[in-house]
Amino acid sequence: MTPHDEEAGASVDASAEASTEVSAEVSADVSADLSAEVSEQDLFAARRRAAALGADRSLHRWSAHLPLTARLSALADAASEVVAPDEPVDIYGNAVVARLEDEVARLLGKEAAAFFPSGTMAQQVALRCWAGRTGNATVALHPDAHPEVHEGGALSAVSGLRTVHPTREPRLPTAEEVRDFEEPFGTLMLELPLRDAGFVLPSWEELEEVVEAARERDAVVHFDGARLWECTPHFGRPLAEIAGLADTVYVSFYKSLDGLSGAVLAGPRTLIEEARTWRHRYGGQIFQQFPAAVAALLGLKNVLPKLPEYVAHARVVAGALREGFAAAGVPFSRVHPEEPHTHQFQVWLPYDSKVLTEAALAQAEETKTQLFNRWFPDGPPGLSVTEVTVTDAGLEWTPDDVNDAVAQFVRRIPG
């Protein structure tokens, strides 16, 4: 080896060593950054949870914020309302789970129903079954629908389905848009209400017309009814009549009924039997699910009858929020929809979402009144958005209470 070779080799070794050191430093820095980020997120989540638990007044109390033992104890204490002392636990979907399925099928006026561990799985299975029966794997739905926004592209990646969008307006498609859509589809999926657009619903007549337009195209209709339970006041129809417009309906138990988890798919008996087969294939044939089933039955018994009252009072709260922001001199604010269609709605304000979240947290911590929770930057251009939910805790709020809370909140927005 020549001196030049030795120098070159030494240079390469030195470079490799230096590169290794730099890589190690970068890795350490990245790990530290990630650790700091995770830690910051955890601290923020803990702060939000503490603020919610520490608030004396709020419009909605989310049971998921409760300590684990408190949640389990509450479920155990209430279980006797819906199950007998000697009733057995379920094994692979019998007993209390089967009873829940029968009850939901009855409420929705469907032949049969199947319990699923998640709504994501329930809807994938429903749409997959319909694709096989119609011979068309294309699903028409809204671009803001849950499968398009919150499921990581699962419809195509897992189930081999293709999605198309009859409209991009922040509402469900009209009959004309469905009737005139430029390509065939096998299933029309309607999310009732459309959560990401502001928990919005069509009128009953519009819903009938859009379903009929799909039928004219030989398509089946599936309702994403995760929040269908609270739609009856808006439509002025019972659950079974609403669900009767669709071939299949999925409903959730933890979103509006304060359950632990789980969903049910309801529809024709033959399709539900096929859905059970696919549920097993998708990994949804769980050994025991009795806690979720008991919580769901409690929700049907105790929360479902209250939802119309929640919806009515949400409209009172929405009107008071508008008045409060106007009185506080906020340059722009919007409650959307202006009259809420359900017990949930959006509020838009022209401030940074982090600033608004901090103001909401500070208000809860300092005054023990929680008016808003977290704000997000994905409202209309220049606006941040939050979701408001009115349940039992909010029923005691008068318009004056809301106005006072708005004034306290606005005072905590810098500038």
Side-chain angles (χ1 to χ4, degrees):
M1 179 181 293
T2 66
H4 176 75
D5 291 335
E6 291 177 359
E7 290 174 7
S11 176
V12 169
D13 291 343
S15 296
E17 185 177 345
S19 176
T20 301
E21 291 176 357
V22 170
S23 296
E25 290 174 5
V26 169
S27 296
D29 289 343
V30 169
S31 297
D33 289 343
L34 289 174
S35 177
E37 183 180 340
V38 170
S39 177
E40 185 177 342
Q41 290 174 351
D42 289 345
L43 288 172
F44 179 64
R47 184 184 170 200
R48 286 174 50 220
R49 179 173 174 272
L53 287 173
D56 296 326
R57 305 190 70 196
S58 63
L59 292 168
H60 168 61
R61 292 197 182 278
W62 193 30
S63 59
H65 279 146
L66 291 174
L68 189 152
T69 53
R71 186 72 165 111
L72 286 174
S73 296
L75 180 63
D77 291 343
S80 60
E81 296 180 30
V82 292
V83 295
D86 58 349
E87 187 165 347
V89 297
D90 68 294
I91 297 176
Y92 290 122
N94 66 356
V96 68
V97 174
R99 184 151 63 82
L100 173 63
E101 292 171 338
D102 291 343
E103 176 63 8
V104 174
R106 184 190 67 79
L107 286 169
L108 299 181
K110 297 299 184 185
E111 289 182 353
F115 186 83
F116 282 77
S118 76
T120 296
M121 184 185 293
Q123 297 213 110
Q124 282 198 57
V125 166
L127 297 173
R128 180 169 197 145
C129 289
W130 283 126
R133 290 172 178 233
T134 63
N136 189 326
T138 300
V139 179
L141 74 173
H142 197 281
D144 287 339
H146 195 279
E148 296 289 73
V149 180
H150 302 292
E151 297 179 15
L155 288 185
S156 59
V158 178
S159 298
L161 303 174
R162 176 173 170 268
T163 59
V164 294
H165 307 137
T167 185
R168 291 189 174 275
E169 294 297 317
R171 53 159 175 74
L172 288 169
T174 64
E176 183 179 7
E177 288 166 339
V178 168
R179 191 176 290 114
D180 296 341
F181 192 65
E182 61 269 17
E183 61 177 294
F185 52 86
T187 304
L188 174 67
M189 194 202 93
L190 300 173
E191 183 179 323
L192 301 175
L194 187 56
R195 183 251 181 111
D196 281 9
F199 305 95
V200 296
L201 290 163
S203 69
W204 176 251
E205 293 72 24
E206 288 169 337
L207 183 59
E208 287 184 309
E209 290 167 2
V210 75
V211 168
E212 179 58 31
R215 305 274 188 232
E216 291 172 8
R217 299 190 56 146
D218 295 325
V220 297
V221 176
H222 170 76
F223 284 172
D224 175 341
R227 296 173 173 84
L228 189 72
W229 308 113
E230 59 263 38
C231 293
T232 55
H234 176 83
F235 288 133
R237 301 291 193 284
L239 281 168
E241 188 173 353
I242 299 169
L245 293 180
D247 297 284
T248 48
V249 181
Y250 135 69
V251 289
S252 174
F253 298 114
Y254 75 88
K255 292 180 172 66
S256 303
L257 299 184
D258 201 32
L260 289 177
S261 61
V264 154
L265 175 66
R269 190 173 304 280
T270 56
L271 184 134
I272 297 304
E273 288 304 314
E274 181 184 355
R276 293 179 190 277
T277 300
W278 280 108
R279 179 184 64 188
H280 196 171
R281 291 168 177 164
Y282 273 63
Q285 187 74 357
I286 309 300
F287 178 54
Q288 289 188 321
Q289 299 178 97
F290 65 90
V294 169
L297 287 169
L298 285 167
L300 292 174
K301 177 181 181 290
N302 297 326
V303 182
L304 181 60
K306 297 179 181 179
L307 287 173
E309 186 179 9
Y310 296 168
V311 175
H313 201 64
R315 293 167 180 168
V316 173
V317 171
L321 285 171
R322 279 194 299 274
E323 295 170 1
F325 284 122
V330 173
F332 173 88
S333 66
R334 180 170 177 180
V335 173
H336 176 71
E338 186 171 338
E339 181 176 280
H341 297 170
T342 73
H343 69 311
Q344 296 179 286
F345 56 90
Q346 293 179 345
V347 176
W348 305 347
L349 288 178
Y351 303 98
D352 181 80
S353 59
K354 292 181 180 178
V355 168
L356 293 174
T357 297
E358 180 57 38
L361 276 171
Q363 179 181 17
E365 292 166 341
E366 295 164 12
T367 71
K368 303 304 178 185
T369 293
Q370 185 181 44
L371 179 61
F372 300 118
N373 199 327
R374 192 172 181 180
W375 289 76
F376 299 91
D378 48 0
L383 299 173
S384 296
V385 62
T386 192
E387 295 176 345
V388 175
T389 300
V390 177
T391 55
D392 260 344
L395 295 179
E396 64 185 39
W397 289 53
T398 67
D400 286 343
D401 292 332
V402 176
N403 289 335
D404 291 344
V406 169
Q408 291 283 345
F409 172 72
V410 172
R411 278 199 284 272
R412 287 168 171 79
I413 300 174

